[in-house]
Amino acid sequence: MNLTEYDISHPYTAKLVRSERITPEATDEVRHLVLSIDSATFNYLEGQSVGVLVPGPHAFGNAQHFRLYSIANSRQGEQGEFTEISLCVRRCFYIDEVSGEQFPGIASNYLCDALPGDDILICGPYGRQFLPPKDNTCNILMIGVGTGIAPFRAFLKHIYEERKTWKGKVRLFYGARTGMDLLYQNEKNKDLALYYDEGTFKAVEALSPRPVFDDPADLKQSIKENAAEVWELLQDPKTYVYLSGLSRMEAQLDQALSEMAGSEEAWLQTKFELIGQKRWATLFYA
């Protein structure tokens, strides 16, 4: 991320309260971090993100490294604690294209290695385009992969635990490499089960067809298997669509929905209508 794209002039010092691994040891490490921000000026809504500033020095002379993370709890705070927010962080590594060497991701490893009591500099919140609708008769269609589940956890907490009743349909299509990687829905952490209402909510899991080769989750197939309901929701003027996760998932979804619509042109017309009516929101990361 480019520091110049965001206002970081008013950072907050957050204290790490808890850091819990929410994936089994046999798979990638993903942690649920709870941070305390004791400031009356720090306010946020579901779907917003915070920037984490990792102190340097870093490459190219940067004094700080900046990375965005979605807030994984509702505006009422993590577990009702107004001063606390939660982040969902995967410990990442990248391969240098020239040398072939593996290097740790700066921000993710900084956060995953942090211990309770450590101070972490954050800024924001950022983004106001990824908010749940105010009308509780609206339908919500959420599609995400990996740590893209974070804003959807916040959505579910807000509409079911704080607003109490939700009359529209709520559908979550969520992808992961294996069943153990289904964040907040695996044997280590079943957090999502605490928040939803069985009468209106349904989650559809999409797993990788070849997890041993690190193939991505097959969201396209999962959506095709539920094509009738998905297309019915997309035709409903009260449906709001949210996509969160890896940026490459958008092309995969466009292909699946083009097949569903009968042609790429038909799908793009529907998509542009959703965008124009502000019923289509994306939160992608590389």
Side-chain angles (χ1 to χ4, degrees):
M1 296 292 179
N2 190 336
L3 283 172
T4 61
E5 296 177 14
Y6 300 91
D7 179 8
I8 62 168
S9 59
H10 299 89
Y12 299 88
T13 298
K15 191 171 291 295
L16 181 61
V17 178
R18 295 189 300 280
S19 177
E20 171 198 7
R21 179 168 180 149
I22 57 172
T23 50
E25 296 296 329
T27 187
D28 292 347
E29 181 182 359
V30 181
R31 304 192 75 84
H32 179 78
L33 276 62
V34 179
L35 306 175
S36 176
I37 304 109
D38 190 13
S39 173
T41 63
F42 184 79
N43 298 290
Y44 58 91
L45 297 172
E46 299 76 24
Q48 290 191 293
S49 303
V50 294
V52 172
L53 295 170
V54 183
H58 297 288
F60 308 109
N62 292 329
Q64 295 170 316
H65 177 81
F66 178 81
R67 188 77 163 86
L68 279 180
Y69 289 93
S70 295
I71 299 172
N73 58 274
S74 71
R75 68 192 74 178
Q76 298 299 319
E78 177 68 8
Q79 297 183 353
E81 294 290 339
F82 285 95
T83 62
E84 294 182 356
I85 66 168
S86 59
L87 306 178
C88 182
V89 181
R90 182 184 298 274
R91 188 186 291 274
C92 297
F93 298 88
Y94 69 93
I95 305 297
D96 185 275
E97 294 181 357
V98 177
S99 67
E101 291 184 75
Q102 177 176 276
F103 294 94
I106 296 172
S108 69
N109 281 268
Y110 169 75
L111 290 172
C112 287
D113 288 338
L115 300 175
D118 287 353
D119 287 337
I120 294 173
L121 205 61
I122 66 168
C123 46
Y126 305 109
R128 296 186 63 85
Q129 77 282 6
F130 208 79
L131 304 177
K134 295 180 180 179
D135 182 355
N136 71 353
T137 64
C138 289
N139 307 310
I140 299 176
L141 177 59
M142 302 173 285
I143 305 172
V145 295
T147 53
I149 194 70
F152 298 150
R153 178 182 184 267
F155 278 24
L156 292 172
K157 238 178 114 58
H158 176 59
I159 66 177
Y160 287 128
E161 192 173 75
E162 293 157 13
R163 294 179 65 172
K164 303 301 182 186
T165 58
W166 195 266
K167 298 178 182 178
K169 293 181 179 179
V170 180
R171 297 293 181 264
L172 170 63
F173 285 83
Y174 173 57
R177 191 168 58 89
T178 70
M180 293 188 295
D181 296 323
L182 288 167
L183 308 181
Y184 302 112
Q185 296 187 95
N186 60 39
E187 64 184 40
K188 289 275 289 184
N189 186 299
K190 297 182 179 179
D191 183 271
L192 284 184
L194 301 175
Y195 306 126
Y196 62 77
D197 170 67
E198 291 183 1
T200 57
F201 176 77
K202 183 171 82 171
V204 181
E205 300 171 354
L207 303 179
S208 168
R210 299 192 307 167
V212 72
F213 294 104
D214 283 337
D215 284 2
D218 197 351
L219 274 176
K220 178 183 172 182
Q221 182 60 33
S222 179
I223 289 172
K224 285 174 66 175
E225 290 171 358
N226 294 271
E229 182 177 36
V230 170
W231 191 245
E232 181 182 351
L233 283 171
L234 290 172
Q235 300 306 301
D236 190 329
K238 301 195 77 171
T239 296
Y240 287 71
V241 184
Y242 302 88
L243 279 64
S244 178
L246 295 170
S247 55
R248 64 174 180 259
M249 69 180 276
E250 186 168 23
Q252 187 182 121
L253 291 173
D254 278 337
Q255 184 179 355
L257 295 170
S258 293
E259 293 175 11
M260 200 178 298
S263 70
E264 182 180 2
E265 292 75 15
W267 162 238
L268 289 178
Q269 181 178 344
T270 300
K271 183 178 180 179
F272 291 149
E273 288 174 1
L274 288 164
I275 294 172
Q277 295 165 11
K278 298 183 178 179
R279 296 189 291 117
W280 177 276
T282 60
L283 190 60
F284 290 132
Y285 51 87

